[in-house]
PDB file of all heavy atoms in Angstrom:
ATOM      1  N   GLU F  15       1.245  14.079  -0.540  1.00 96.00           N
ATOM      2  CA  GLU F  15       2.254  14.906   0.141  1.00 96.00           C
ATOM      3  C   GLU F  15       2.288  16.247  -0.331  1.00 96.00           C
ATOM      4  O   GLU F  15       2.331  17.287   0.417  1.00 96.00           O
ATOM      5  CB  GLU F  15       3.654  14.159   0.107  1.00 96.00           C
ATOM      6  CG  GLU F  15       4.719  14.833   0.919  1.00 96.00           C
ATOM      7  CD  GLU F  15       5.976  14.057   0.856  1.00 96.00           C
ATOM      8  OE1 GLU F  15       6.099  13.002   0.262  1.00 96.00           O
ATOM      9  OE2 GLU F  15       6.963  14.550   1.503  1.00 96.00           O
ATOM     10  N   TYR F  48       1.490  18.821 -13.089  1.00 97.00           N
ATOM     11  CA  TYR F  48       1.225  17.817 -12.007  1.00 97.00           C
ATOM     12  C   TYR F  48       0.493  18.429 -10.869  1.00 97.00           C
ATOM     13  O   TYR F  48      -0.506  17.926 -10.389  1.00 97.00           O
ATOM     14  CB  TYR F  48       2.580  17.121 -11.542  1.00 97.00           C
ATOM     15  CG  TYR F  48       2.291  16.031 -10.519  1.00 97.00           C
ATOM     16  CD1 TYR F  48       1.669  14.944 -10.914  1.00 97.00           C
ATOM     17  CD2 TYR F  48       2.733  16.265  -9.225  1.00 97.00           C
ATOM     18  CE1 TYR F  48       1.476  13.862  -9.913  1.00 97.00           C
ATOM     19  CE2 TYR F  48       2.443  15.254  -8.301  1.00 97.00           C
ATOM     20  CZ  TYR F  48       1.892  14.085  -8.722  1.00 97.00           C
ATOM     21  OH  TYR F  48       1.637  13.039  -7.808  1.00 97.00           O
ATOM     22  N   TYR F 107     -10.459 -25.955  -2.535  1.00 64.00           N
ATOM     23  CA  TYR F 107     -10.744 -27.369  -2.789  1.00 64.00           C
ATOM     24  C   TYR F 107     -12.009 -27.780  -2.055  1.00 64.00           C
ATOM     25  O   TYR F 107     -12.795 -28.503  -2.615  1.00 64.00           O
ATOM     26  CB  TYR F 107      -9.530 -28.174  -2.380  1.00 64.00           C
ATOM     27  CG  TYR F 107      -9.753 -29.621  -2.525  1.00 64.00           C
ATOM     28  CD1 TYR F 107      -9.660 -30.312  -3.770  1.00 64.00           C
ATOM     29  CD2 TYR F 107     -10.026 -30.407  -1.419  1.00 64.00           C
ATOM     30  CE1 TYR F 107      -9.873 -31.653  -3.908  1.00 64.00           C
ATOM     31  CE2 TYR F 107     -10.222 -31.757  -1.436  1.00 64.00           C
ATOM     32  CZ  TYR F 107     -10.087 -32.395  -2.815  1.00 64.00           C
ATOM     33  OH  TYR F 107     -10.325 -33.753  -2.797  1.00 64.00           O
ATOM     34  N   ASN F 142      -8.249  12.763  12.354  1.00 98.00           N
ATOM     35  CA  ASN F 142      -8.014  13.519  13.606  1.00 98.00           C
ATOM     36  C   ASN F 142      -6.744  14.449  13.427  1.00 98.00           C
ATOM     37  O   ASN F 142      -6.344  15.146  14.364  1.00 98.00           O
ATOM     38  CB  ASN F 142      -7.737  12.589  14.804  1.00 98.00           C
ATOM     39  CG  ASN F 142      -9.137  12.042  15.245  1.00 98.00           C
ATOM     40  OD1 ASN F 142     -10.109  12.782  15.297  1.00 98.00           O
ATOM     41  ND2 ASN F 142      -9.143  10.831  15.484  1.00 98.00           N
TER      42      ASN F 142
END
Side-chain angles (χ1 to χ4, degrees):
E15 187 175 358
Y48 183 68
Y107 175 80
N142 287 316

